[in-house]
Amino acid sequence: MKITTAVARWGVGTKFVAFSLVLLLLIQAAVYGVVQVNIERNVRGQVKQELVTGERFWWQLLDQNAQRLRFGAEVVAKDFGFRSALGSGDIETLRSTLENHGGRVNATVTAYLDPQFELKATGFEIAAQDKLSPVLHRVANELGSNDLTYKIEQIDAKLFQFVMVPVKAPLTIGWVLMGFSLEQSQADAMFELSHVHIALLSKSRSVLLSSLPQELNSPLQELGSSGDLQLSDDTLVIQESAARPQVKGIDTYVLRSLDEVVAPYRKVQLALLLITAIGLGLFALGSTLLAQRVTVPLRSLAGAAEQLSRGDYSQALPAMRHRDEVGDLSRAFNKMRGSIQAQQHEIMQLAYWDRLTGLPNRTQFRDLIKQSIQASVAGGGEAQPVTVIMLNLDRFKHVNDVLGYAFGDRLLKAVAERLAAQITPEQGTVARLGGDEFGVMVEDLDAHAATHIAAQISKAFEAPLRLEDQTVDLSAGIGVASWPMHAQDVDMLLSRAEIAMYVAKRKTTGTQVYDPALDSSSTQTLSLLTELRHAVEDGQLRLYLQPKLNLADNTVVSAEALVRWQHPVRGLVPPMQFIPFAEQTGFVRQLTLWMFEEVAKELPRLRADGRPLRIAINLSTRDLLDQEFPAKLDAMMLKHNAPTSAYCLEITESAIMDDPERAEATLNRLSERGFKLSIDDFGTGYSSLAYLKRLPVNELKIDKSFVMGMERDESDAKIVRSTIDLAHNLGLSVVAEGVENQAILDKLSELHCDEAQGYHMSRPIPLPEFIAWRAAHLARTGA
C-alpha cells in the first residue's frame, strides 16, 4: 500500500526521468538483443565456413600425401634393381627394394602385385603376409578398377592410406602398392593449421583417428551427421564429410569450437554493456536536471490551474510577473480565462446547430439517432424502432432564382418554424440537414406508423407561406425509413431515408416509405454509401491519370484525374457502379474534395522533372451548387501550398443548366481564384451560345461521341470542325476526347485542335505508371 501511494505521488519530473530511463533501457535491450541475434547468426555462418574450409584442407593433406607416396612408388617401379629382380624372380631382392624405398617415404606397407592384383612380394615381415594378403588384394582391386588416386583402409585399429602405380615394360607387368599409416600427429597438424578438429570413425563407431583429447572418444561415438556436441566447457559444431570412394566404410567428421569463435564477439558485447551503463548514468543525471528546471515553476501554477478547472477565472496567476516561458504560460491562462466559455459555446453552436434556423444540424441529428438506437438496444427485450423522416423542398431553387438568396434564407427559417410547430419535442426531433433538406427523428414508431406524421407535415405545407408581401406555395418530397426494419446502423438509415426521399421527389408521390424494390441492386447499392465513406477513410480510393497531348508540339502538358475504388472484397469497382450513386446521394462532394487533396499532395511528384503539368478534375452539379465549395478549395490549396493554376475544372453543360444562376456565381468565384475552367462533353447539352459567352470558361472539351465518329460520319466531322472554329473565335482552347487511333489524331491536328485525349495515347493509369509513361514519351519523342 505504501509503495502504491509513493508511486501515485510521483511528480512529472520523476515520471519523466523514470520514463526516459525505462525507454532508454528498452532501446538498449533491443539493440543488445539484435546484436546477440546477429552475433549468433554470424558465428554460425563463420563456423560453417571454417568447417567447409577445414574439410577441404584435410582432403588436400591426404591428396598431397598421396602424391608423395605415388612418387615413391613410381621410383620403385622404375628402379633398375627392382626390375632386374622381377626378371629373375628373386623375391628377396624384390622385398629388399620395397623396404628400402618404402622407408625413404615413411611408407608403412609396400607390396608388389601381379597384373591380376595377386600379392607377390611385400616390404614387411613375411609372418604378416598371409593375414594382409586379402586386404591388399581388395585395396589393389579398388584402386585399379575405380581409377582412384588413393584409398584409405582400416587394418586392425589403424588407418592406412594406399597408393598404387603400374610397372610397365612397356605393357603393365605388375603393380607397386604403398601404404602410409595415418598418425595422430597428422590430425594434430590439421587442427594447428586450421583450428578445425578431424575425427574418423568406423562403421562400428570406434574412433580410428581424432585430433580431440582422448577423453572425448566416448562422446565422439555418438556423433550424428550434423549438429552440436555439448561438452562441459565448450560446444563443438559438427559436420560430416560427404562420402568419398577413397574412404569407403569410414565416417569423416570435422568439428569446430563454437566458444573460440564467439570469444571476440563477447568482448564487443561487454564494451556495449559498459557504454550502456555509462550512458544511462549520464542520461539520468541530465534528465533529472532538465525535469527540475521545468517542474519546479510548474508546481507554483498547479494551484492556480485548479481554480481555472473549477471555473473560477477571477484570480490572476502568481506567475504573471515572470518574463520567461512560465510567465508566457500564465498569461496564456489568463487569456483563456476570459474566452474559454464563449469559445466553448461557439464551438458547440458550430458543431451541432444550424446557424440559419437554430435547429440541430446533420452532425447532431446523426448523433441523436445513434444514441436513440443504442438506448433501444440497451433497454433489453424487443428493440423499439427509430424512424427517420427526411424531406426536400420542391421548387426551392426556383424561389432562390426569382426572389434571391436572402428571401430563400428567410423561407428556410419559416419552414423550420412550421416544422417545429408540427412536431413537438415529445413527438420527435427536427433538424436541418443542409440546403433545403430537413429531417425528423421519431422514436418508438416504425416507418408505416410514422407515415401519419409525414402526412401531417405534408398537410402543413398545403398552406402557402407569406413573406414580405410574397406568397409562396411549397411542397416537399418526403422519405421514410426505420431502424431496424430498413437499416442496421445510423449511416445506412440516413442513406435509405434519403433514397426514399429522392424517389418521392422523382415520382411526385409526396411521401415514400423505403422499399428494397426501389433499387434493382438494393443489397449492393444501398450499402454502397457506408462503404464509400469507409473507402475514403481507409485509403481504398486510387488516383488514376489519363494524359492529354498538346497537338502543336506533341508534349504532355495536362492530364485528367479519375478516381478508382480498390474494394478489399469486390476488387476494383468500376466507376459506373459508384459514381452515379455518389451523385444521387450527395457523397460525390466528398469524392471531389478527395480528388483535389490527392492531386495537391502528389503535385510535387508530378512536377518533379521541372515540366509544367495541369490536372483536370470533374465537378458535379452538387459541387457547383455548394456555395462553400470555393472556400473549401481555398483552405486546401493553402494547406498544401498548391497553385490554382495547376488545376483545370471540367463542368458538364447539364450540371450548369440545372441551376444556371448559382452555377455561374460559383464559376465566377472559382475563375477569380485562378482555376482554369472547361466545359466537358460539349455538344451534348442545351446551353445557348449567349449563355456560354457569359461563363468565365477557358476551354471546350468535345464529347467523345463526335470525335470517335469522325472517320465514318461526315456529320460528326463537321460538328468537330465547327466546334473548334467556334471555340477559337471565342478565345477558348479545345480538347478532343475519345481519340482511338492515329487517323483521328492526324485529322484533329489538321483542324488545329489544341489538345487530344484517348486510348490511342494511353488509358487512365495509376499515378506512378503515369510518371513513367510521361518520361518514356519524352525519351521517345523528345517532347
Side-chain angles (χ1 to χ4, degrees), residues 6 12 15 31 62 105 184 248 289 318 425 432 509 627 688 722:
V12 173
K15 291 179 181 178
V31 171
L62 293 181
V105 293
Q184 179 68 36
K248 188 176 181 181
L289 294 176
R432 184 189 175 204
T509 55
Q627 296 301 299
S688 66
S722 301

Side-chain angles (χ1 to χ4, degrees), residues 521-759:
S521 57
S522 58
T523 303
Q524 178 179 353
T525 304
L526 294 181
S527 65
L528 211 54
L529 184 59
T530 299
E531 294 189 44
L532 268 176
R533 295 185 194 277
H534 292 318
V536 174
E537 296 167 358
D538 299 342
Q540 298 173 14
L541 300 183
R542 301 289 182 267
L543 180 66
Y544 276 54
L545 296 172
Q546 186 175 27
K548 297 181 182 180
L549 201 62
N550 188 318
L551 298 183
D553 55 8
N554 202 34
T555 58
V556 180
V557 295
S558 61
E560 182 176 2
L562 302 164
V563 64
R564 296 293 184 266
W565 183 5
Q566 187 65 48
H567 195 281
V569 177
R570 305 179 191 175
L572 195 63
V573 181
M576 289 306 297
Q577 289 188 14
F578 69 93
I579 295 295
F581 181 78
E583 291 177 342
Q584 176 190 4
T585 59
F587 193 78
V588 71
R589 289 175 292 191
Q590 279 80 354
L591 294 182
T592 302
L593 293 176
W594 180 89
M595 292 277 285
F596 272 90
E597 180 132 22
E598 201 68 12
V599 169
K601 288 191 293 187
E602 297 293 348
L603 204 55
R605 281 181 66 190
L606 291 168
R607 291 184 164 188
D609 58 0
R611 293 180 293 153
L613 185 70
R614 181 185 294 111
I615 304 300
I617 298 178
N618 290 283
L619 300 187
S620 68
T621 303
R622 290 180 178 267
D623 294 322
L624 291 179
L625 298 183
D626 184 2
Q627 296 301 299
E628 297 178 2
F629 181 63
K632 294 175 183 176
L633 295 188
D634 287 344
M636 193 177 298
M637 297 299 104
L638 182 63
K639 174 183 176 182
H640 295 284
N641 195 25
T644 56
S645 59
Y647 291 83
C648 177
L649 312 184
E650 295 186 356
I651 312 101
T652 61
E653 293 179 72
S654 58
I656 297 172
M657 299 314 294
D658 281 350
D659 189 346
E661 298 298 329
R662 186 181 292 189
E664 182 180 356
T666 302
L667 292 176
N668 281 323
R669 292 169 63 190
L670 292 172
S671 179
E672 290 168 1
R673 285 161 168 78
F675 291 100
K676 182 178 181 180
L677 303 179
S678 175
I679 301 296
D680 196 10
D681 300 338
F682 184 78
T684 61
Y686 305 98
S687 60
S688 66
L689 295 180
Y691 189 77
L692 178 62
K693 187 177 180 181
R694 290 171 48 194
L695 295 175
V697 297
N698 311 99
E699 182 183 272
L700 295 184
K701 192 171 185 182
I702 305 174
D703 184 72
K704 62 183 179 182
S705 62
F706 302 120
V707 177
M708 295 170 67
M710 286 178 63
E711 283 185 292
R712 59 183 181 274
D713 192 335
E714 185 60 26
S715 297
D716 287 341
K718 290 179 180 179
I719 291 173
V720 173
R721 183 185 301 109
S722 301
T723 303
I724 294 173
D725 292 339
L726 170 66
H728 287 166
N729 290 334
L730 292 174
L732 308 178
S733 59
V734 183
V735 177
E737 64 176 338
V739 178
E740 299 290 333
N741 55 54
Q742 185 65 39
I744 295 178
L745 189 65
D746 292 339
K747 185 67 176 176
L748 290 170
S749 183
E750 293 174 7
L751 297 175
H752 303 292
C753 182
D754 299 292
E755 294 178 18
Q757 173 185 352
Y759 282 12

Side-chain angles (χ1 to χ4, degrees), residues 307-378:
Q307 289 181 331
L308 295 180
S309 68
R310 292 193 298 268
D312 181 7
Y313 306 107
S314 60
Q315 299 296 322
L317 299 180
M320 279 293 291
R321 296 184 299 274
H322 291 254
R323 298 299 177 184
D324 54 11
E325 290 82 358
V326 177
D328 293 339
L329 178 62
S330 64
R331 284 185 285 276
F333 266 67
N334 277 329
K335 290 181 181 179
M336 179 181 67
R337 175 173 52 89
S339 61
I340 189 170
Q341 288 179 324
Q343 290 177 354
Q344 288 291 330
H345 179 73
E346 182 71 14
I347 289 170
M348 292 298 293
Q349 287 293 320
L350 291 174
Y352 292 104
W353 299 91
D354 177 58
R355 280 191 162 188
L356 179 64
T357 62
L359 295 175
N361 62 9
R362 178 181 284 270
T363 301
Q364 185 180 173
F365 190 62
R366 181 186 181 278
D367 289 347
L368 291 172
I369 297 172
K370 186 176 182 180
Q371 292 169 13
S372 182
I373 291 174
Q374 291 174 345
S376 181
V377 172

Side-chain angles (χ1 to χ4, degrees), residues 64-77:
Q64 291 173 0
N65 195 54
Q67 290 176 7
R68 184 171 60 81
L69 287 174
R70 285 184 64 85
F71 177 77
E74 287 172 354
V75 170
V76 173

Side-chain angles (χ1 to χ4, degrees), residues 152-172:
I152 304 295
E153 186 70 24
Q154 177 184 354
I155 299 178
D156 293 334
K158 296 195 68 175
L159 291 177
F160 293 86
Q161 182 180 12
F162 288 96
V163 297
M164 187 174 71
V165 297
V167 180
K168 296 189 176 183
L171 298 176
T172 300

Side-chain angles (χ1 to χ4, degrees), residues 482-520:
S482 180
W483 174 89
M485 181 186 299
H486 300 135
Q488 300 304 311
D489 57 49
V490 58
D491 291 320
M492 188 179 293
L493 179 60
L494 288 169
S495 172
R496 294 187 169 176
E498 192 170 20
I499 289 172
M501 177 188 71
Y502 280 114
V503 171
K505 287 180 68 70
R506 188 167 62 249
K507 295 181 178 180
T508 65
T509 55
T511 300
Q512 174 70 55
V513 176
Y514 173 79
D515 190 327
L518 297 175
D519 192 339
S520 58

